[in-house]
Amino acid sequence: MIRVENLHKWYGSIQAVDDVSFSVDKGEVLGFIGPNGAGKSTTMRMITGFIAPSRGKVLIDGIDMAENPIAAKSKIGYLPENAPSYSSMTTFTFLKFAAEMRGFSGKERDKKVDEIVETCFLEPVLYQSVETLSKGYTHRVCFAQSIIHDPEILILDEPTDGLDPNQKYEVRTLIKNMGEKKAIILSTHILEEVDAVCSRLMTIDRGKIVADGTPDSFRKRSETAGTVLLTINGESSNSILENLEKLNDVEKTFVVSEEDSDISVRIYPKNKADSDKFSSDIFNLVKEEKMNLVGLQIEKGRLEDVFRSITLEDREEVKA
């Protein structure tokens, strides 16, 4: 549905986007992540036709954005950063206007407005002017206009910005459900959001794609992925570590915390591929040594750790 080929963007001597290529199919929710100034919003603006690339091509369902922008844009719903809108309009008149701009009129237009008001929970502010709305409601109104025509493709820049926890949950659920039938690109700084909604992640740093894969594949790159966090009550840390040395598959161990009589130890395996067997061996050892087990948890890995390692490594290479 979305195909990006060798996109470049220069602002004078500054290169904001450097040879970016990727595709997104129907049924995919792509989480676009990266540090501030990495080129995320610029790339999304080029995909939507809001700005032209310096070089490269964007195809929307096979339609070249540069050659046939009206046809290409008709297939896209776009939520820009900062949720711009007409502040003097009421929520109702703004959504009515948005529906009309998408080609709806009469009863069909009214039906679209009614449906989107219900979907985005906008009844309490329907006849309130946009300029008087909270940041959260303003963002929801702009999100509503982006999906009012039920587009095949959604480009969402910080879709839950300014929302309270309940509103974030509602919007994330909506995006995840829509992602089953649409192609969606979602830019966010909130890695929790990426984990909750996205089927695929892409990291951009200094205008380049530096990583692409599923959330699980990202987590597996974490240093702690496949490690075991073991908590024992009533033993000394030395005693626990000495017992763990009896296992051949243990690479290294260290004490994470000591609270009251509970001691937590992180255990690194020599082979991360078989974490179930590794944790089972630890459990059996605890049982044989008659230690008082409080908790045993296999670490899946943390997206935050992977994000930092990917972007910081990239910057270290530049310094070198």
Side-chain angles (χ1 to χ4, degrees):
M1 293 296 293
I2 305 169
R3 187 174 171 188
V4 174
E5 298 179 354
N6 308 111
L7 278 191
H8 295 74
K9 185 64 181 179
W10 285 273
Y11 293 104
S13 61
I14 298 173
Q15 187 165 16
V17 176
D18 183 4
D19 197 24
V20 166
S21 298
F22 63 91
S23 61
V24 184
D25 297 324
K26 186 177 290 188
E28 274 192 304
V29 181
L30 172 64
F32 210 40
I33 59 177
N36 289 332
K40 302 186 300 297
S41 292
T42 301
T43 301
M44 295 173 84
R45 288 170 184 162
M46 288 190 286
I47 292 171
T48 59
F50 187 74
I51 60 174
S54 302
R55 195 166 76 222
K57 183 184 291 187
V58 175
L59 299 173
I60 302 297
D61 197 18
I63 303 169
D64 191 311
M65 179 61 77
E67 294 179 359
N68 197 346
I70 293 177
K73 291 178 183 181
S74 69
K75 295 179 176 290
I76 297 174
Y78 179 35
L79 173 65
E81 193 176 13
N82 300 322
S85 57
Y86 292 102
S87 59
S88 61
M89 291 183 175
T90 65
T91 298
F92 176 74
T93 54
F94 176 66
L95 293 177
K96 184 179 175 182
F97 168 75
E100 289 172 349
M101 291 299 98
R102 290 295 185 176
F104 301 106
S105 60
K107 291 182 178 179
E108 188 179 20
R109 174 202 61 202
D110 296 341
K111 182 182 178 184
K112 286 290 183 182
V113 171
D114 289 342
E115 288 174 348
I116 208 63
V117 166
E118 183 178 355
T119 298
C120 295
F121 307 98
L122 293 171
E123 293 91 344
V125 297
L126 189 57
Y127 299 106
Q128 192 172 326
S129 63
V130 173
E131 65 186 352
T132 66
L133 299 180
S134 67
K135 184 179 180 181
Y137 268 119
T138 301
H139 209 75
R140 269 203 278 176
V141 169
C142 196
F143 178 72
Q145 68 76 27
S146 73
I147 62 174
I148 198 167
H149 56 305
D150 193 22
E152 298 175 76
I153 294 167
L154 279 176
I155 311 294
L156 308 174
D157 202 348
E158 302 289 347
T160 61
D161 183 41
L163 304 186
D164 66 35
N166 289 333
Q167 293 168 340
K168 285 181 180 180
Y169 176 80
E170 292 163 357
V171 170
R172 288 171 184 171
T173 301
L174 181 60
I175 293 170
K176 192 169 185 177
N177 291 338
M178 289 191 299
E180 296 176 1
K181 298 180 180 179
K182 302 180 186 297
I184 299 177
I185 299 178
L186 181 157
S187 172
T188 182
H189 289 92
I190 307 170
L191 295 182
E192 170 196 345
E193 187 159 276
V194 165
D195 217 9
V197 173
C198 299
S199 57
R200 178 180 161 203
L201 302 184
M202 184 177 289
T203 304
I204 186 169
D205 189 20
R206 294 183 304 102
K208 289 180 174 288
I209 301 298
V210 294
D212 185 0
T214 65
D216 280 344
S217 70
F218 266 66
R219 269 190 293 269
K220 287 177 182 176
R221 297 174 64 166
S222 170
E223 183 187 3
T224 59
T227 65
V228 170
L229 184 64
L230 175 69
T231 303
I232 298 293
N233 175 269
E235 298 278 347
S236 69
S237 57
N238 288 336
S239 173
I240 296 170
L241 296 178
E242 286 173 5
N243 280 318
L244 289 171
E245 288 176 1
K246 298 175 183 178
L247 296 175
N248 293 328
D249 292 337
V250 172
E251 176 71 28
K252 63 179 180 179
T253 61
F254 71 88
V255 176
V256 175
S257 65
E258 296 186 44
E259 295 183 11
D260 298 327
S261 55
D262 287 350
I263 297 177
S264 294
V265 178
R266 186 170 301 283
I267 312 162
Y268 288 77
K270 291 179 180 177
N271 177 18
K272 289 186 176 183
D274 198 352
S275 56
D276 288 338
K277 181 181 182 300
F278 184 61
S279 62
S280 178
D281 289 344
I282 294 170
F283 176 80
N284 290 333
L285 174 69
V286 169
K287 187 177 178 181
E288 288 170 7
E289 297 297 330
K290 297 181 180 179
M291 291 186 281
N292 186 16
L293 178 65
V294 176
L296 190 154
Q297 177 183 334
I298 302 173
E299 178 66 66
K300 293 182 179 180
R302 300 184 181 94
L303 290 178
E304 292 87 349
D305 296 342
V306 179
F307 175 80
R308 282 178 55 79
S309 67
I310 290 172
T311 55
L312 291 177
E313 280 175 8
D314 187 48
R315 291 175 189 277
E316 287 300 321
E317 288 174 7
V318 174
K319 290 179 182 179

